[in-house]
Amino acid sequence: MSGHGHGHGHGQGCGCEGEHEPAERGLEYGLYRRIDLDKVQCLNESRDGDGKLVFKPWEQRHDREKFVESDADEELLFNIPFTGSVKLKGIIISGEDDDSHPAEIRLYKNIPQMSFDDAGREPEQAFRLNKDSAAELEYPTKIARFSNVQHLSIHISKNFGAENTRVYYIGLRGEYTEAHRHEVTICNYEAAANPADHKVESIIPQTNFIS
């Protein structure tokens, strides 16, 4: 119940709330569309490419056709780059209703190409999970720590005692800010101008023009 305590209070009041709840939560769990899927890595997956399959639309969270299973032991490590900046507010992880379900996750931000060797460092946040085959339990993040995330790593460090871990769905809830190419250009102008003050005057028209 602890993980569900955050759950917006839907589904228990009038029937109207229950009807609107899936669509509303589906919108909140739309961050999968902001993942650069081609660049997602899953370390220790038993079959190459399966780690990407668990990031899917809310309405497909109960799908059992697509999943990832660990290979050599119970650990899995997901490296998830976004196409912009994300404020991560919550996470759902769903597996099988048995001992292969993840029991603990550790979240890290902005460590591209993270490896198991890096997993010894202190995470931004860690959660002990309950078994959740229905994909209902949300674990709320400390938003102040996850307010500017370009890359998220999820380390599944243990399950409930099975040799291998199986995951069907990972849902990410939060807000997304587009990466604007012209902002980077402006920063480059300013960075180049810093050593010589007189150049700052010359970039003002360019900055105004771009915006």
Side-chain angles (χ1 to χ4, degrees), residues 36-74:
D36 191 347
L37 273 178
D38 289 339
K39 296 180 181 176
V40 168
Q41 290 180 320
C42 182
L43 305 187
N44 197 37
E45 57 186 357
S46 61
R47 189 168 54 191
D48 285 348
D50 278 0
K52 302 176 183 181
L53 303 179
V54 302
F55 301 98
K56 45 194 170 186
W58 174 254
E59 59 271 17
Q60 294 178 21
R61 67 193 183 282
H62 297 141
D63 170 40
R64 291 295 183 260
E65 298 295 316
K66 299 176 181 178
F67 61 88
V68 63
E69 197 163 47
S70 64
D71 188 15
D73 55 24
E74 62 190 342

Side-chain angles (χ1 to χ4, degrees), residues 144-163:
R145 296 189 182 182
F146 293 95
S147 60
N148 186 23
V149 182
Q150 287 87 39
H151 186 284
L152 178 70
S153 296
I154 303 173
H155 177 214
I156 298 176
S157 51
K158 61 176 69 173
N159 60 23
F160 285 91
E163 287 187 18

Side-chain angles (χ1 to χ4, degrees), residues 11-124:
Q12 284 141 14
C14 68
C16 171
E17 283 187 9
E19 288 170 20
H20 291 303
E21 187 258 1
E24 180 186 314
R25 291 194 83 188
L27 289 173
E28 292 177 346
Y29 274 87
L31 281 185
Y32 74 93
R33 295 193 304 267
R34 309 304 187 180
I35 295 172
D36 191 347
L37 273 178
D38 289 339
K39 296 180 181 176
V40 168
Q41 290 180 320
C42 182
L43 305 187
N44 197 37
E45 57 186 357
S46 61
R47 189 168 54 191
D48 285 348
D50 278 0
K52 302 176 183 181
L53 303 179
V54 302
F55 301 98
K56 45 194 170 186
W58 174 254
E59 59 271 17
Q60 294 178 21
R61 67 193 183 282
H62 297 141
D63 170 40
R64 291 295 183 260
E65 298 295 316
K66 299 176 181 178
F67 61 88
V68 63
E69 197 163 47
S70 64
D71 188 15
D73 55 24
E74 62 190 342
E75 293 186 65
L76 285 167
L77 178 59
F78 296 87
N79 282 318
I80 308 157
F82 296 102
T83 56
S85 180
V86 163
K87 180 187 289 185
L88 184 66
K89 296 182 176 181
I91 184 169
I92 290 177
I93 293 199
S94 179
E96 199 68 74
D97 192 18
D98 60 20
D99 288 345
S100 71
H101 193 291
E104 184 177 279
I105 61 169
R106 297 155 63 86
L107 303 182
Y108 301 83
K109 73 170 185 179
N110 300 338
I111 311 176
Q113 310 293 323
M114 183 173 170
S115 70
F116 284 111
D117 291 338
D118 300 315
R121 68 173 71 186
E122 190 73 20
E124 299 293 332

